[in-house]
């Protein structure tokens, strides 16, 4: 009996030493708004600071939860990375984010979400020492609306578009971007100087967020909510032209249902990507995954 008790104590102690930590922190608060993040931390390593992945959930800026990708946070923490899954302002809650909505409201929703992400980034930089974070190795990621936050947070003019007090250094740059079915409003924001390594995944038949260049929610040009976006395939080709690191996973015939792939079934792709970026490896690939759905005929690689 004594041996069994000693074994259980040793096992539990070993498990606790090597278990991932999850901390819920308030990164922004004023009289009307409180925003939290869940910080997933790996086992502590002596004299080694931890790279971080900031994550924004999807939900059309009207729904979703930061706790939705807990498995992703635990997976990355188990493999030596910290993950900060943030809450952000759901400006479109109760409003139309589709074709009958208002263009200015759509842009405002993205701008508010991006400003929240910048606030979270600033908070984590300010508290990096407490959580042993490496501020030179902050990645940004997201699903759908969260990926739109990630794109614009990476490439928008911070001083011009930020809605809160300017806390980030003008020299700050994310180490890389991981996006599931996201898009950017102006592809020319991605310049040779601003480009960062990217891992993108997208279905080429996505009618919600365009895979290539197209309108959000497939709206007609005369719709009040018409918004042109440049999706993953457009960004992939643009990054190739810039000779910058880019990896794209295309689901032939797939729609918006693949937006969460990288953070669910494809977690290993994310781990390999961030490892390769930090090792300084050259990244340029296009992985084509067939699906059972019929693919549009304008992409020869899907035939």
């Amino acid at each position: 009996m004594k041996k069994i008790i000693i074994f259980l104590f040793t096992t539990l102690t070993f498990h606790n030493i090597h278990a991932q930590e999850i901390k819920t922190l308030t990164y922004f608060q004023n009289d009307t708004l409180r925003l939290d993040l869940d910080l997933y931390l790996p086992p502590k390593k002596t004299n080694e600071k931890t790279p971080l992945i900031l994550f924004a959930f999807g939900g059309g800026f009207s729904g979703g939860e930061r706790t939705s990708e807990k498995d992703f946070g635990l997976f990355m923490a188990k493999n030596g990375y910290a993950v900060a899954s943030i809450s952000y302002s759901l400006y479109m809650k109760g409003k139309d984010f589709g074709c009958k909505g208002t263009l200015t409201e759509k842009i405002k929703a993205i701008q508010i979400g991006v400003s929240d992400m910048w606030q979270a980034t600033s908070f984590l930089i300010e508290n990096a020492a407490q959580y042993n974070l490496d501020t030179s190795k902050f990645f940004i990621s997201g699903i759908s609306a969260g990926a739109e936050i990630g794109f614009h947070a990476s490439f928008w003019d911070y001083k011009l578009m930020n809605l809160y007090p300017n806390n980030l250094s003008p020299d700050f740059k994310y180490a890389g971007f991981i996006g599931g079915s996201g898009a950017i409003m102006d592809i020319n924001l991605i310049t040779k100087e601003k480009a960062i390594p990217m891992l993108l995944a997208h279905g080429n038949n996505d009618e919600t967020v365009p895979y290539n260049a197209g309108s959000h929610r497939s709206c007609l040009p005369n719709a009040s909510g018409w918004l042109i976006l440049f999706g993953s395939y457009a960004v992939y080709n643009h990054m190739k032209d810039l000779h910058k690191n880019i990896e794209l996973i295309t689901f032939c015939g797939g729609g918006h249902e693949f937006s969460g792939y990288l953070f669910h079934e494809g977690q290993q792709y994310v781990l390999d990507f961030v490892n390769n970026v930090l090792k300084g490896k050259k990244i340029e690939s296009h992985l084509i995954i067939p699906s059972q759905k019929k693919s549009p005929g304008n992409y020869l690689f899907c035939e």
Side-chain angles (χ1 to χ4, degrees):
M1 176 64 74
K2 187 176 180 181
K3 287 183 179 179
I4 293 173
I5 292 171
I6 291 171
F7 173 77
L8 286 172
F9 177 78
T10 305
T11 303
L12 288 169
T13 303
F14 180 84
H15 173 76
N16 287 335
I17 289 171
H18 291 269
Q20 303 95 320
E21 257 187 295
I22 307 174
K23 294 181 179 292
T24 298
L25 308 170
T26 300
Y27 73 84
F28 179 79
Q29 188 168 5
N30 60 22
D31 293 340
T32 58
L33 179 65
R34 170 177 166 166
L35 295 171
D36 294 337
L37 61 81
D38 292 330
L39 182 61
Y40 298 79
L41 293 168
K44 292 181 180 178
K45 296 180 180 180
T46 308
N47 298 325
E48 188 174 344
K49 292 185 178 181
T50 309
L52 170 77
I53 301 171
L54 289 112
F55 172 82
F57 57 83
F61 298 95
S62 62
E65 296 284 345
R66 71 173 188 276
T67 56
S68 59
E69 306 308 326
K70 186 175 181 180
D71 288 345
F72 172 70
L74 292 173
F75 173 82
M76 295 305 298
K78 182 179 71 175
N79 286 282
Y81 290 89
V83 173
S85 183
I86 75 161
S87 293
Y88 58 90
S89 304
L90 300 177
Y91 180 74
M92 296 307 296
K93 193 170 185 178
K95 302 176 184 178
D96 192 333
F97 196 56
C99 301
K100 294 181 180 179
T102 306
L103 174 60
T104 53
E105 290 287 89
K106 283 187 171 186
I107 296 172
K108 187 175 180 179
I110 297 172
Q111 186 181 12
I112 292 171
V114 170
S115 295
D116 290 343
M117 175 60 79
W118 282 333
Q119 282 292 110
T121 303
S122 176
F123 171 84
L124 290 163
I125 290 173
E126 289 171 5
N127 293 277
Q130 183 176 350
Y131 302 108
N132 199 40
L133 303 176
D134 189 336
T135 57
S136 69
K137 298 173 183 175
F138 276 23
F139 291 79
I140 188 169
S141 65
I143 293 174
S144 188
E148 289 163 12
I149 287 175
F151 264 125
H152 293 91
S154 298
F155 302 110
W156 257 351
D157 185 320
Y158 173 72
K159 287 187 177 180
L160 179 65
M161 301 304 293
N162 182 35
L163 296 172
Y164 303 119
N166 291 315
N167 296 319
L168 279 178
S169 164
D171 299 326
F172 176 79
K173 194 175 186 181
Y174 293 104
F177 170 56
I178 303 114
S181 302
I184 191 167
M185 284 188 279
D186 183 359
I187 202 166
N188 292 314
L189 292 171
I190 307 173
T191 64
K192 205 161 192 174
E193 295 72 31
K194 283 190 171 184
I196 56 176
M198 295 188 213
L199 168 62
L200 309 175
H202 215 136
N204 76 325
N205 199 25
D206 192 336
E207 295 182 354
T208 303
V209 178
Y211 170 71
N212 201 347
S215 64
H216 179 239
R217 300 281 179 94
S218 303
C219 300
L220 296 174
N222 62 349
S224 59
W226 185 81
L227 172 64
I228 190 72
L229 291 172
F230 296 87
S232 301
Y233 187 59
V235 172
Y236 169 74
N237 287 318
H238 184 67
M239 289 284 284
K240 279 178 61 181
D241 290 342
L242 295 175
H243 305 290
K244 294 296 181 178
N245 289 334
I246 180 71
E247 185 173 356
L248 173 63
I249 300 173
T250 293
F251 297 93
C252 286
H256 203 62
E257 69 274 9
F258 288 100
S259 60
Y261 175 83
L262 289 172
F263 307 93
H264 302 155
E265 302 89 343
Q267 294 173 357
Q268 188 63 45
Y269 287 114
V270 178
L271 181 59
D272 292 343
F273 170 75
V274 292
N275 282 339
N276 288 335
V277 170
L278 295 180
K279 289 174 184 175
K281 289 189 176 181
K282 174 66 178 173
I283 302 168
E284 187 184 307
S285 69
H286 185 186
L287 176 63
I288 299 162
I289 300 178
S291 77
Q292 294 180 353
K293 293 186 176 182
K294 186 177 179 181
S295 178
N298 52 339
Y299 298 104
L300 295 176
F301 52 77
C302 280
E303 293 182 356

